[in-house]
Amino acid sequence: MAASASEVNKALSGLYGHVRRLERDEPEPGETREAALRAQAEIWDLLRDMRTVMRRDLGVTSAPLLAQPSGRTRAVR
């Protein structure tokens, strides 16, 4: 689980820096709003993977419902 958490932490930290540089109007090469949105979507995938590892480590077998930004719910895998 530590590897998953480390990967998520690194991705979140990177995205935070990206967004802060955009806010200051000092982006690094390739840092655009669209690139930040893509990175954000990829982080959701990392979070789902980490959640799966955590649930397996805890022995949780049923998938609870998770509210989505759209307002709909879905089972967490």
Side-chain angles (χ1 to χ4, degrees):
M1 208 283 295
S4 295
S6 177
E7 188 176 4
V8 168
N9 184 52
K10 182 178 177 181
L12 286 170
S13 295
L15 179 58
Y16 177 76
H18 181 150
V19 170
R20 293 292 295 167
R21 287 186 291 278
L22 288 173
E23 287 176 341
R24 289 191 314 261
D25 206 21
E26 299 172 356
E28 294 182 359
E31 288 186 337
T32 63
R33 183 177 183 276
E34 292 75 20
L37 290 171
R38 283 191 303 273
Q40 179 186 16
E42 291 171 6
I43 289 172
W44 281 112
D45 292 336
L46 293 174
L47 288 168
R48 275 189 285 280
D49 293 345
M50 185 177 73
R51 185 182 307 111
T52 298
V53 170
M54 290 172 67
R55 293 177 67 77
R56 186 175 35 241
D57 286 352
L58 294 170
V60 177
T61 57
S62 62
L65 294 179
L66 177 67
Q68 298 295 296
S70 65
R72 297 180 9 209
T73 58
R74 71 168 179 79
V76 177
R77 300 282 181 230

